[in-house]
Amino acid sequence: MQTVTTVYPAGGQRENGAASLRLVLLVTYGCNLACKYCCVLKELRGRKNMPEGMLRSAADFLMTSSKRDLQLHFFGAEPLILPFEAYARVLPYIRRRERESGKRLDLLVTTNAALLDERWVELFKEHAVRLEISMDGDADSHN
């Protein structure tokens, strides 16, 4: 799987919850929807998910930053396509690395929320993962 990661400054000083450095991970090209307007190319949909080891490595890489305030953003066509069990194993690792490093890490998942259930909500609450719900497109695109 070709993965896309982006590291960019997110505004310098921590202000209103913004991290001073943000790493965006495209964790999957898979999606549970088939929206006509989707920016993920149809040829890429259904490709493999980012391996758990790469998720851990990304967190390790982010922790090497000289910045104290960081954000790790799980993105994709639909990040909840990545199995629940993968997040259940990786999130505790990421939070442990955060504690060991003395950094402040904001975790964020952008999702269409169609797969979001109580199990996901509890996991994300336990590990202080913020959710960003995508609700783009017009009524004709969604209906």
Side-chain angles (χ1 to χ4, degrees):
M1 170 182 181
Q2 180 180 355
T3 56
V4 177
T5 56
T6 307
V7 180
Y8 58 90
Q13 296 295 323
R14 188 174 189 89
E15 186 176 320
N16 298 327
S20 60
L21 186 69
R22 181 179 189 189
L23 176 61
V24 180
L25 300 177
L26 180 57
V27 299
T28 185
Y29 288 108
C31 187
N32 55 313
L33 304 177
C35 303
K36 290 183 272 186
Y37 60 83
C38 183
C39 63
V40 176
L41 297 173
K42 289 180 183 174
E43 312 77 71
L44 298 177
R45 292 182 191 166
R47 292 216 180 163
K48 293 181 181 178
N49 298 330
M50 183 178 284
E52 286 181 46
M54 188 174 289
L55 294 171
R56 286 186 187 91
S57 294
D60 291 339
F61 170 74
L62 189 57
M63 294 303 163
T64 66
S65 169
S66 61
K67 305 286 186 183
R68 180 166 186 243
D69 297 317
L70 307 169
Q71 183 180 77
L72 187 57
H73 186 166
F74 300 96
F75 195 75
E78 172 49 47
L80 300 189
I81 290 290
L82 195 68
F84 175 87
E85 295 76 16
Y87 283 102
R89 288 186 293 267
V90 169
L91 290 174
Y93 173 83
I94 291 171
R95 286 300 185 198
R96 187 178 79 242
R97 290 288 291 122
E98 174 192 22
R99 286 189 304 277
E100 293 168 354
S101 72
K103 311 265 186 196
R104 292 189 300 195
L105 181 62
D106 179 32
L107 294 176
L108 175 66
V109 173
T110 299
T111 176
N112 61 36
L115 300 173
L116 197 61
D117 61 18
E118 192 63 30
R119 180 175 70 146
W120 282 105
V121 170
E122 288 305 313
L123 179 69
F124 291 154
K125 280 173 54 177
E126 179 183 350
H127 297 287
V129 177
R130 292 186 309 119
L131 294 175
E132 179 177 80
I133 309 297
S134 64
M135 297 183 70
D136 53 311
D138 57 20
D140 290 339
S141 298
H142 288 286
N143 297 330

